[in-house]
Amino acid sequence: MQEADLRVELGGIRMNNPVTVASGTFGYGKEYAELIDVTRLGAITVKGIRLQPWPGNPVPRHVEVPGGMVNAIGLQGPGVDGFVREYMPFLRGTGVPVIVNIWGTTEEEYAEVARRLSDVEGVAGLELNISCPNVKEGGHAFGTDPRTAASLVAAVRRATRLPLMPKLAPNVPDIKVFVRAAQEAGADALALINTLPAMVIDIETRRPVLANKVGGLSGPAIHPVAVKLVWEAAQAATVPILAMGGIMEPGQAIEFLIAGATAVAVGTANFIDPTTPLRVIGGIADYLRRHGMRSVKELTGSLISG
Amino acid sequence: MMDVSGSVIRQTPLAAGYWSLELEAGLLAKQARPGQFVHVRVPRLEQSALRRPFSISGVRGGVLEILYKTVGRGTGEMSHLLPGDAVQVIGPLGNGFPLEPRGVPVLVAGGYGVAPLSFLASRLGRKGVLLAGGRSAGDVLSTEGFERLGWQVQMATQDGSRGEKGLVTVLLDKELLRLKASGEQAELYACGPDGMLRAVGERAVAAGCRGWLSLDKHMVCGVGACLACVQKLRREDGTEWIGRVCHDGPVFEAREIVW
């Protein structure tokens, strides 16, 4: 039987297969290039970038918990110009679409980062981080109120023609409200979910384990939460969805596709087994073959309920 | 850097709570340099358990040795590994120690911090002295290996149960004085707890010699991608930056570290 077609289009980002990596778990691609063939990824999503270099949070920045980890890295990064100079040459060379995760503390900053990336060769799209729980001034503040989120998306929309994909916060009362707000403001795709706000306490010292006190929970523990949110979001979405949250095995990626996602991102699993994204690509292809499907698009939103 | 399935050759208990694990790791072992580390996926932990970083304490052909202490769940499970068990290992990682000392190599070990120094001693062209410290006699490890290689060994324990009573830096102060008196330059290499490293670093600065400190930090990715294991550092021009212990280290010269 003929190999199934794995190609997808994520709001204007053309991917050879539906698998990318989650921002912050794969550096700028280069770091993993000796361990896996990064040219086989559907896209490379890089760590969050703001206008200027940013130092991130004090250490400890992470702690292992059952079913995953809690992190409060705090979006350390080289700033947009540093990123373009230091990392884009390598990324361009991979020939893989590059999705740049961007953030800021004001609408103007987000818009300026987007503007500067607009003409950079190799940048295929922007993931708008409006849901990082680890930076007080930015990120999350934009993602928990639909009007603020819409206003931000509209501001960035005016600054760039690149495909725009807001990354939504999971901890909101109704994800559909945010889906509609982002779409109406000009989003081309939606990414969900970000980490869940979390905290771990050292009972001997009675102090928070993380220097930032709180962080974001990731790993397989959040996968069922993400599936539910992706499924709900898909019901309101008219644009494609990039789903992520706790994928360790191909089956968990396939669940996201069935729930309505067009593509998926592997996150925390990269730290544990860097071959996971490639295993997921292979697993999706096997699944399609077994189920007699010719294209991965047949899988998207194929949930049978009732 | 590679991701290989290693095979356990032998697991040997050393003192209470300390183990030596020998793994057949082929090319990974052959490429390893002293001061580098491996990132180990501990079998039988849950699927989402993070990898654990370990210094390489020695290499013989394609076999690498990890000397570790059981301190938690990961190392606890590791101590149950048996010959023939498969272990997924990423490495060799990190920068490693420079191998061209400008003076007499003085190695300062705190507890299992002796691990990368054992490997270093086997590869340094010049022999020197090992200063091994620990809380108690059981925390002073692998000193016989150094003696076999022709290194001088001095020991200090906080409870006085082996060697001199007190901190290992007491031995270092004496050794630096002795070298100074004989007109010799020292080159310090150290691995151990942060407090010890800081103290060794201060002595390197005071003595005007180089001090190579190997930091022990909790890590997530091990390859420089996640930015969990960061350390504030100083460039020669005095400007500060935030480096990744896994990728820019784990070995830093004493003057680079901003404690």
Side-chain angles (χ1 to χ4, degrees):
Chain A
M1 191 187 149
Q2 203 186 331
E3 279 290 314
D5 185 0
L6 289 179
R7 289 173 301 172
V8 294
E9 188 173 329
L10 188 66
I13 304 167
R14 290 197 183 142
M15 299 165 61
N16 279 335
N17 64 65
V19 181
T20 183
V21 287
S23 177
T25 67
F26 208 69
Y28 306 96
K30 203 176 175 173
E31 295 85 348
Y32 277 103
E34 285 182 49
L35 293 177
I36 70 160
D37 181 359
V38 297
T39 67
R40 287 175 58 201
L41 295 169
I44 297 174
T45 309
V46 300
K47 188 161 173 64
I49 295 291
R50 70 178 296 187
L51 193 55
Q52 301 295 334
W54 182 250
N57 289 328
V59 290
R61 290 176 167 188
H62 81 279
V63 54
E64 184 179 273
V65 295
M69 62 182 282
V70 179
N71 89 81
I73 304 294
L75 296 171
Q76 181 182 334
V80 65
D81 296 338
F83 161 71
V84 170
R85 194 175 54 241
E86 290 170 43
Y87 298 105
M88 275 313 295
F90 167 81
L91 288 164
R92 253 195 300 276
T94 65
V96 173
V98 177
I99 300 172
V100 184
N101 179 292
I102 68 168
W103 70 284
T105 59
T106 60
E107 282 186 3
E108 294 71 36
E109 183 176 1
Y110 276 92
E112 182 57 25
V113 177
R115 200 171 291 125
R116 292 197 194 185
L117 290 167
S118 293
D119 297 322
V120 176
E121 196 197 328
V123 175
L126 303 179
E127 183 179 67
L128 207 51
N129 188 353
I130 56 171
S131 46
C132 176
N134 296 330
V135 179
K136 283 190 204 80
E137 305 88 344
H140 205 247
F142 292 99
T144 43
D145 174 65
R147 272 170 307 180
T148 320
S151 168
L152 176 69
V153 174
V156 182
R157 178 75 291 166
R158 287 191 292 274
T160 185
R161 292 171 69 181
L162 283 170
L164 205 54
M165 179 168 62
K167 185 169 182 178
L168 303 182
N171 48 314
V172 293
D174 184 0
I175 196 80
K176 292 179 189 171
V177 173
F178 288 84
V179 169
R180 291 190 198 101
Q183 280 172 181
E184 282 160 24
D188 301 296
L190 297 166
L192 61 158
I193 62 173
N194 211 319
T195 57
L196 290 156
M199 184 175 189
V200 179
I201 296 168
D202 180 332
I203 59 167
E204 295 307 318
T205 62
R206 300 206 305 274
R207 289 172 188 277
V209 172
L210 299 173
N212 190 52
K213 300 186 182 72
V214 298
L217 175 65
S218 65
I222 73 168
H223 179 260
V225 178
V227 171
K228 186 252 189 189
L229 286 164
V230 167
W231 173 65
E232 282 181 341
Q235 294 167 44
T238 55
V239 298
I241 292 173
L242 172 66
M244 68 199 83
I247 297 174
M248 299 293 293
E249 293 297 330
Q252 292 163 317
I254 293 165
E255 273 188 72
F256 280 134
L257 298 172
I258 294 171
T262 292
V264 296
V266 174
T268 300
N270 293 315
F271 302 144
I272 299 156
D273 177 4
T275 66
T276 307
L278 303 185
R279 283 198 297 111
V280 168
I281 296 168
I284 293 171
D286 286 347
Y287 181 91
L288 296 174
R289 197 179 305 120
R290 277 196 293 118
H291 290 262
M293 294 183 181
R294 277 193 222 137
S295 164
V296 67
K297 294 185 194 87
E298 289 177 49
L299 199 50
T300 292
S302 63
L303 181 75
I304 299 164
S305 54
Chain B
M1 183 197 312
M2 57 192 86
D3 186 359
V4 305
S5 175
S7 171
V8 175
I9 303 288
R10 200 175 4 234
Q11 171 110 266
T12 317
L14 302 173
Y18 292 93
W19 300 82
S20 153
L21 177 69
E22 287 167 85
L23 281 176
E24 171 61 52
L27 195 57
L28 187 161
K30 288 181 181 134
Q31 286 183 357
R33 289 177 284 111
Q36 289 191 299
F37 67 95
V38 286
H39 213 24
V40 177
R41 189 168 187 197
V42 181
R44 292 191 286 272
L45 286 184
E46 71 279 9
Q47 192 193 21
S48 64
L50 298 173
R51 284 175 184 253
R52 267 68 172 164
F54 295 96
S55 285
I56 299 165
S57 56
V59 166
R60 272 194 341 273
V63 177
L64 66 83
E65 186 203 36
I66 296 169
L67 192 161
Y68 67 96
K69 182 183 183 182
T70 49
V71 292
R73 275 180 337 119
T75 45
E77 272 302 331
M78 253 175 72
S79 69
H80 299 135
L81 287 172
L82 296 170
D85 285 349
V87 183
Q88 205 63 31
V89 181
I90 295 177
L93 297 168
N95 57 356
F97 290 111
L99 298 175
E100 301 81 32
R102 290 180 189 161
V104 178
V106 178
L107 279 44
V108 188
Y112 60 83
V114 76
L117 302 176
S118 293
F119 189 16
L120 176 68
S122 73
R123 292 282 173 92
L124 273 179
R126 187 165 178 182
K127 294 187 201 326
V129 53
L130 168 73
L131 310 176
R135 254 189 220 111
S136 192
D139 302 303
V140 179
L141 305 157
S142 296
T143 50
E144 314 76 29
F146 288 83
E147 280 164 348
R148 266 201 306 276
L149 287 168
W151 284 62
Q152 196 212 331
V153 175
Q154 297 174 34
M155 290 171 270
T157 49
Q158 286 171 48
D159 65 1
S161 54
R162 196 166 179 198
E164 191 130 345
K165 185 173 170 24
L167 296 172
V168 71
T169 39
V170 176
L171 299 178
L172 177 59
D173 287 333
K174 285 185 193 165
E175 187 60 24
L176 287 171
L177 275 177
R178 197 187 64 75
L179 287 169
K180 196 179 175 191
S182 61
E184 284 183 286
Q185 174 84 338
E187 182 104 347
L188 309 186
Y189 299 86
C191 186
D194 277 359
M196 185 203 95
L197 293 179
R198 193 172 174 169
V200 172
E202 284 164 7
R203 280 156 178 85
V205 172
C209 64
R210 297 194 299 187
W212 304 104
L213 313 178
S214 177
L215 300 190
D216 184 11
K217 274 263 198 296
H218 286 288
M219 293 175 183
V220 179
C221 73
V223 298
C226 73
L227 309 180
C229 64
V230 293
Q231 172 68 46
K232 194 186 269 190
L233 301 165
R234 191 188 297 112
R235 297 188 188 87
E236 278 186 27
D237 65 9
T239 56
E240 291 182 355
W241 63 295
I242 296 166
R244 298 158 291 182
V245 171
C246 67
H247 184 267
D248 305 302
V251 178
F252 298 98
E253 205 284 316
R255 290 155 186 83
E256 285 180 89
I257 300 174
V258 181
W259 292 102

